[in-house]
Amino acid sequence: MIRSGKPLALAALMLALASISIAVKADAKESTVAATGSVEALFTPWDDAEGAIIRALAEAQQSIHVQAYLLTSRSISQALIAAKARGVTVAILADREMVENGKNSQVPTLAAADIPIRLETRYAIAHNKIILIDASTPHGILITGSYNFTWSAQARNAENLLILRDNPALLQRYLNNWQRHHAEAQPFEKETKENKEAHHGH
């Protein structure tokens, strides 16, 4: 009885391992996207990464989705506000701690321009630096890399930036991830005279 149970247990273990292997392979296949379109690579402080971002934002016709750890660049902020003013849907995810405790965040300025912003609170650091432009279209643009959206990233730091165009499958994966983070994030409360006074106990 004991001996006859061992082959069954071994078979069950082998079946379980095979299932895990199939699942891992499926996940790997799902995360693999064929290379297509064009890739622009920039390196600061030598290349004008901020200028490239602003030019790409000016191309937006339908939507801009941002994931930012730091967003202190006034030039990028103004480009986002200008995009909204011309009818582009703009939405931003930002790291809550950097908004609340960092210096010179442009998030309040963007919120004052009626751009919807949500703050990521689930993670130790929401460290993504991503901009998706017209992500649901065949000719969308993905901007990513180590580059924070700051003056220092352009002028003082050694950073890299990739601008990828015309890869709808890749854009869709990034958009799906953005939406997953958006669902978990908390709304940013725009500062008004009333809640400012409440915050200061008046």
Side-chain angles (χ1 to χ4, degrees):
M1 294 286 292
I2 295 173
R3 289 180 180 177
S4 63
K6 285 184 178 179
L8 290 174
L10 182 59
L13 177 61
M14 294 295 288
L15 184 61
L17 290 172
S19 299
I20 292 170
S21 176
I22 291 168
V24 168
K25 287 178 181 177
D27 287 345
K29 186 176 182 181
E30 186 180 309
S31 66
T32 302
V33 177
T36 185
S38 66
V39 179
E40 181 180 1
L42 300 105
F43 305 95
T44 64
W46 303 281
D47 297 327
D48 183 14
E50 181 175 83
I53 291 171
I54 290 167
R55 288 190 293 274
L57 291 172
E59 295 180 40
Q61 297 180 11
Q62 296 183 13
S63 65
I64 298 172
H65 297 81
V66 179
Q67 272 181 290
Y69 176 61
L70 273 169
L71 204 171
T72 63
S73 167
R74 293 180 183 178
S75 299
I76 292 174
S77 174
Q78 289 305 309
L80 291 168
I81 292 170
K84 185 181 187 304
R86 67 175 186 270
V88 175
T89 299
V90 181
I92 297 172
L93 293 172
D95 181 88
R96 181 181 66 179
E97 187 167 339
M98 294 312 297
V99 170
E100 293 180 351
N101 301 321
K103 295 181 179 179
N104 305 317
S105 175
Q106 287 292 302
V107 164
T109 301
L110 293 160
D114 293 324
I115 292 175
I117 297 168
R118 293 176 75 89
L119 302 181
E120 299 214 52
T121 60
R122 176 176 175 180
Y123 308 95
I125 298 176
H127 210 233
N128 287 298
K129 303 105 180 213
I130 294 163
I131 299 175
L132 310 176
I133 299 172
D134 297 336
S136 297
T137 71
H139 301 293
I141 301 171
L142 164 63
I143 299 173
T144 188
S146 71
Y147 188 94
N148 281 305
F149 308 124
T150 66
W151 176 84
S152 291
Q154 175 60 57
R156 301 176 62 184
N157 298 351
E159 306 279 2
N160 71 84
L161 186 79
L162 291 175
I163 301 177
L164 301 99
R165 299 170 182 269
D166 303 329
N167 190 331
L170 182 62
L171 263 292
Q172 189 60 54
R173 277 192 56 77
Y174 271 84
L175 181 59
N176 291 346
N177 185 62
W178 188 96
Q179 291 168 338
R180 175 170 55 191
H181 282 264
H182 184 265
E184 298 172 345
Q186 303 299 314
F188 174 77
E189 186 178 353
K190 243 192 322 188
E191 188 166 87
T192 64
K193 181 180 178 182
E194 291 77 13
N195 65 33
K196 187 176 182 180
E197 289 177 351
H199 178 73
H200 292 291
H202 295 305

